[in-house]
Amino acid sequence: MIACGQHPQDEHGEKTPDGHVAGDNRHEEGKKFDANEVIFGHVLDAHSFHFFDYKGSDGKTHPVGLNLPVIVYEKGAGLKVFSSAKFDHGHAVAEGRYQLVNDHWRHAQLAAGNITKEEAKAYRNENIVAVDPATGAPIADAKVYDFSLTRNVVQMFLALIVLMWIMMGVARRYKSGQGVTSAPRGMQNAVEPVITFVRDEVAKPNLGHKYKKFMPLLLTIFFFILINNLFGLIPGSANVTGNIAFTAMLGLVSALVINFSGNKHYWGHIFNPPVPFGIKFIMVPVEILSIITKPFALIIRLFANMLAGHIIIICLISLIFIFGSLAKGAGWGFMPISIAFSVFIFVIEVLVAFIQAFIFTNLTAVFLGQAIEDHHQHEHDAHHGNPPTEPVII
């Protein structure tokens, strides 16, 4: 089901640097480099991994990648499972019915009059639609549900496997006494300082004496985000944390834990804030809205930061081809500058990978601490001149 795809480029289209088909060669001779297509081809999800292209002895371009399982369900046709190689990058109808949407297919259907311009905009790249195998025209009343293992899903599972492998290995060493009665070794040396940092700088300051209860959650969030961030920096991989669906699920998990862990003081502060009666009509809606805005801030912050870094790097690399399309010498001349800036941003992205994992974990702990705060302990500390334990976000 999962195989390495090396399909020669046929006469129907031309491969772009991200592995997708740009269009029909007969209509796009001398087509200029499309940076927009390359950027979105990299940052969006897909049904296969694309690593690189090479030109064979036959003079044709051969993409090298990893084809992934496609799982679709259609009422009447039932469940279908097949390899994404059957799509041939959008040039073939798989299983005699299913088409992978790309620019080439949209252009062909527009030219044939099978779809309108408005309908063409509604079909997004990498969507799977049911079509008439003879004409390639979409079947209007057919609804295809796509449950495929896309590259984001596969990479997320790989990150989960790596996370479990690291943590279970470290746990076994501690269980055997290594790192307890003797100095930690190997992976323990790398993981132990991070765990200690999360405990002492994130959990304890925000959660107080209840920090142990939530340490598994905070550590899982931190390491899962970190591993996915680092995986996303590998060329040819997927940018999982730059996908809004992924960050939305993380934010939803944090929101559920925060609100289900909230005590009566937390909910009382939302529905009966300690302000004059006339102000309550303003504050109550604001406090209720904060239930949504807190996880929303987590979702957008991680998504935007991880997406932006990848787009900047691709834009810098794309400048080589943009200048090269104007003049070959300009492309070669700008290449050292583009590569230098790309490497600099890449190094910054490694740092951002750690920072964003920390920020998401820390803010989750901050919001969680506000929800489980012991109001009587807070008053006791204030009465005895102790500093407030409620975290302040700057």
Side-chain angles (χ1 to χ4, degrees):
M1 187 61 64
I2 300 179
C4 185
Q6 297 187 7
H7 304 289
Q9 172 60 40
D10 61 18
E11 68 278 4
H12 296 294
E14 179 181 342
K15 298 293 293 181
T16 61
D18 67 335
H20 296 284
V21 177
D24 193 322
N25 284 348
R26 292 168 297 180
H27 302 288
E28 301 191 25
E29 289 292 339
K31 177 182 175 181
K32 292 185 178 181
F33 176 77
D34 189 346
N36 182 68
E37 185 176 2
V38 174
I39 291 170
F40 285 99
H42 173 78
V43 301
L44 297 180
D45 205 0
H47 288 82
S48 63
F49 286 93
H50 177 258
F51 303 132
F52 59 89
D53 293 335
Y54 73 93
K55 183 168 286 188
S57 57
D58 56 0
K60 296 179 180 179
T61 301
H62 299 257
V64 177
L66 191 66
N67 296 309
L68 301 174
V70 176
I71 306 170
V72 294
Y73 174 80
E74 184 184 0
K75 190 176 181 180
L79 187 70
K80 299 287 185 180
V81 181
F82 53 92
S83 171
S84 61
K86 290 190 175 183
F87 288 128
D88 192 20
H89 302 287
H91 287 302
V93 177
E95 299 293 310
R97 186 173 178 85
Y98 301 108
Q99 171 70 46
L100 185 69
V101 175
N102 61 10
D103 292 337
H104 169 74
W105 177 81
R106 275 197 299 267
H107 294 159
Q109 296 308 309
L110 275 170
N114 294 327
I115 58 175
T116 64
K117 289 184 178 181
E118 289 71 22
E119 290 173 333
K121 293 178 181 178
Y123 291 109
R124 298 173 57 189
N125 280 2
E126 294 294 327
N127 281 358
I128 297 176
V129 296
V131 299
D132 181 346
T135 63
I139 302 173
D141 58 347
K143 179 65 176 177
V144 178
Y145 297 92
D146 188 2
F147 301 102
S148 304
L149 296 179
T150 61
R151 65 182 181 184
N152 277 346
V153 175
V154 170
Q155 191 164 304
M156 184 177 63
F157 280 129
L158 289 175
L160 182 60
I161 291 171
V162 170
L163 174 61
M164 293 178 65
W165 174 69
I166 292 174
M167 291 305 171
M168 290 177 71
V170 171
R172 280 195 301 269
R173 287 182 178 235
Y174 279 116
K175 192 174 181 180
S176 65
Q178 189 173 324
V180 179
T181 58
S182 61
R185 297 176 57 188
M187 190 62 70
Q188 284 179 296
N189 283 322
V191 173
E192 185 176 309
V194 179
I195 294 176
T196 304
F197 175 80
V198 173
R199 182 194 66 190
D200 295 343
E201 303 298 330
V202 176
K204 283 185 176 180
N206 294 308
L207 304 177
H209 63 279
K210 298 180 181 179
Y211 79 94
K212 289 184 179 180
K213 179 181 178 182
F214 298 100
M215 273 296 288
L217 170 70
L218 297 178
L219 289 173
T220 301
I221 289 175
F222 179 85
F223 281 104
F224 191 51
I225 292 176
L226 176 61
I227 292 172
N228 276 293
N229 285 348
L230 295 177
F231 274 15
L233 295 175
I234 301 173
S237 64
N239 182 21
V240 177
T241 46
N243 185 292
I244 191 67
F246 177 83
T247 60
M249 289 308 300
L250 287 176
L252 179 61
V253 169
S254 295
L256 291 175
V257 174
I258 291 168
N259 289 296
F260 278 101
S261 301
N263 55 28
K264 62 180 181 180
H265 171 64
Y266 168 74
W267 290 109
H269 192 275
I270 292 175
F271 293 103
N272 187 27
V275 295
F277 182 78
I279 307 297
K280 289 183 187 290
F281 295 102
I282 300 175
M283 289 303 299
V284 170
V286 171
E287 292 290 345
I288 293 174
L289 187 62
S290 71
I291 298 174
I292 301 172
T293 56
K294 287 177 180 177
F296 185 75
L298 296 175
I299 293 167
I300 297 301
R301 180 180 284 106
L302 178 60
F303 162 71
N305 279 281
M306 298 314 300
L307 181 66
H310 284 250
I311 291 178
I312 291 172
I313 292 175
I314 301 172
C315 286
L316 289 170
I317 295 296
S318 296
L319 287 175
I320 299 174
F321 300 95
I322 293 173
F323 280 104
S325 65
L326 299 175
K328 195 171 183 179
W332 284 101
F334 191 78
M335 185 169 64
I337 301 173
S338 179
I339 293 176
F341 275 101
S342 298
V343 171
F344 173 74
I345 297 297
F346 184 86
V347 174
I348 296 296
E349 278 296 290
V350 175
L351 179 62
V352 170
F354 284 86
I355 292 175
Q356 289 305 315
F358 165 72
I359 290 176
F360 195 105
T361 307
N362 188 60
L363 288 181
T364 298
V366 167
F367 299 147
L368 193 53
Q370 294 172 345
I372 65 173
E373 179 187 17
D374 189 336
H375 186 57
H376 297 292
Q377 180 66 36
H378 183 73
E379 291 180 341
H380 180 270
D381 290 341
H383 179 72
H384 288 82
N386 295 329
T389 57
E390 184 173 353
V392 177
I393 305 176
I394 300 178

